[in-house]
C-alpha cells in the first residue's frame, strides 16, 4: 500500500540478492487497478504464460502487501520426441475414466527403474543440468498409494536404483500449473502477525 514505507536497507538487500523490487499501489482506492498491475507484472515475466495470477475478489481495501513470485520454466528435451510418432490413445484420469490424449513416443536409453508398485523414468533436459523424473503407478488405481509413499527418503532410494536402459516411452503432451497459498507456511516460519486480523 502506498505510504507504507520500507527501509532503504531492506530494499537494497532484496534488490541486490534476490532481484526483487517493491512497487507501491493504492489497494484502498484502486483495488482492481492494483490487481491488474500485479497480473501484468506476472504476465510480462512469464512470457504471457501466467496471465491471471490474482483472480478477482482476492484483494480488497484491507490489503496492505502482496508478495508475488513467478516461475516460468520451458526446457527442451535432451532427446526430442518426434512429432510424427505422436499418437492419440486412451489415458486414464481415474481407474474408471479415460480420455483421448496425444501421447508422444520414443524408444531411447534413459535411466529407469521399477518396484512392486511403480515405474521410474528420468527424462533429461538439454544441457544435462535438469531432468524430469516420472513416477508411474503400476496399477490404474495406484496413485493414492504412490502419493502416500512420496517422502524424500523413498524418492532418493528409488532414484539410486535407476540405471540406463533402452525403454519405450509414451508420455502425454501436458502443461503444468501450480498455485500455493503460503500464509500458513510463512506464519509457521516466524511471520504470524502478518496473517492475523
Amino acid at each position: 500500500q502506498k505510504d507504507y514505507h520500507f527501509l532503504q536497507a531492506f530494499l537494497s538487500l532484496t534488490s541486490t540478492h534476490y532481484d526483487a523490487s517493491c512497487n507501491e499501489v493504492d489497494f484502498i482506492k484502486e483495488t482492481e487497478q492494483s490487481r491488474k498491475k500485479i497480473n501484468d507484472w506476472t504476465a510480462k515475466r512469464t512470457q504471457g504464460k501466467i496471465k491471471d495470477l490474482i483472480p478477482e475478489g482476492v484483494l480488497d481495501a484491507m490489503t496492505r502487501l502482496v508478495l508475488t513470485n513467478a516461475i516460468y520454466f520451458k526446457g527442451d528435451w535432451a532427446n526430442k520426441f518426434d512429432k510424427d510418432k505422436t499418437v492419440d490413445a486412451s489415458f486414464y484420469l481415474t481407474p474408471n475414466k479415460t480420455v483421448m490424449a496425444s501421447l508422444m513416443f520414443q524408444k531411447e536409453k534413459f535411466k529407469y527403474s521399477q518396484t512392486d508398485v511403480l515405474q521410474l523414468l528420468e527424462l533429461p533436459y538439454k544441457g544435462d543440468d535438469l531432468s524430469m523424473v516420472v513416477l508411474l503407478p503400476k496399477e490404474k488405481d495406484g496413485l493414492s498409494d504412490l502419493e502416500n509413499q512420496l517422502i524424500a527418503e523413498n524418492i532418493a532410494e528409488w532414484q539410486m536404483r535407476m540405471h540406463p536402459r533402452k525403454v519405450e516411452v509414451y508420455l502425454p503432451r501436458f502443461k503444468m500449473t501450480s498455485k500455493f497459498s503460503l500464509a500458513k507456511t510463512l506464519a509457521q516460519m516466524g511471520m504470524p502477525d502478518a496473517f492475523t486480523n
Side-chain angles (χ1 to χ4, degrees):
Q1 172 66 30
K2 71 177 189 175
D3 301 325
Y4 276 64
H5 299 294
F6 285 83
L7 296 176
Q8 187 57 48
F10 173 77
L11 296 176
S12 297
L13 181 132
T14 56
S15 175
T16 303
H17 296 287
Y18 302 102
D19 193 26
S21 61
C22 185
N23 298 296
E24 292 186 354
V25 294
D26 191 347
F27 291 115
I28 298 169
K29 295 179 183 170
E30 299 176 350
T31 308
E32 183 59 15
Q33 294 93 318
S34 300
R35 182 185 75 84
K36 287 181 179 174
K37 188 174 187 178
I38 294 167
N39 285 344
D40 289 345
W41 176 92
T42 307
K44 182 178 179 185
R45 277 154 185 81
T46 61
Q47 299 176 359
K49 298 293 183 190
I50 302 173
K51 294 179 182 170
D52 294 312
L53 180 68
I54 301 176
E56 283 186 57
V58 170
L59 306 181
D60 59 29
M62 294 299 295
T63 302
R64 292 297 175 266
L65 174 69
V66 174
L67 174 65
T68 56
N69 187 14
I71 299 171
Y72 167 67
F73 172 75
K74 183 179 185 329
D76 292 323
W77 299 115
N79 299 302
K80 288 195 174 190
F81 288 87
D82 185 347
K83 288 182 181 179
D84 294 336
K85 293 182 180 177
T86 299
V87 295
D88 289 335
S90 294
F91 182 81
Y92 284 90
L93 296 176
T94 67
N96 302 317
K97 185 176 180 185
T98 61
V99 294
M100 290 303 289
S102 295
L103 300 180
M104 305 179 292
F105 172 78
Q106 65 174 291
K107 187 174 183 177
E108 189 59 64
K109 191 179 266 191
F110 293 111
K111 284 187 178 178
Y112 173 85
S113 181
Q114 61 181 320
T115 71
D116 292 341
V117 295
L118 76 134
Q119 295 174 291
L120 293 95
L121 175 72
E122 183 174 351
L123 298 170
Y125 290 105
K126 196 179 282 183
D128 292 325
D129 291 335
L130 297 170
S131 64
M132 174 184 288
V133 176
V134 179
L135 307 177
L136 178 67
K138 286 189 173 178
E139 300 296 329
K140 288 185 276 190
D141 62 350
L143 186 58
S144 62
D145 288 339
L146 175 57
E147 288 174 337
N148 291 332
Q149 295 181 45
L150 286 181
I151 59 173
E153 292 83 7
N154 286 348
I155 294 170
E157 182 185 330
W158 295 336
Q159 286 186 287
M160 284 190 337
R161 295 184 194 171
M162 298 178 81
H163 298 288
R165 70 182 264 196
K166 194 152 230 168
V167 292
E168 291 184 0
V169 179
Y170 289 91
L171 187 70
R173 293 175 55 94
F174 64 93
K175 179 166 77 171
M176 290 189 315
T177 59
S178 298
K179 188 186 290 188
F180 304 98
S181 173
L182 297 177
K184 188 175 179 182
T185 304
L186 291 172
Q188 290 173 342
M189 291 174 66
M191 297 177 58
D193 291 351
F195 301 100
T196 62
N197 292 331

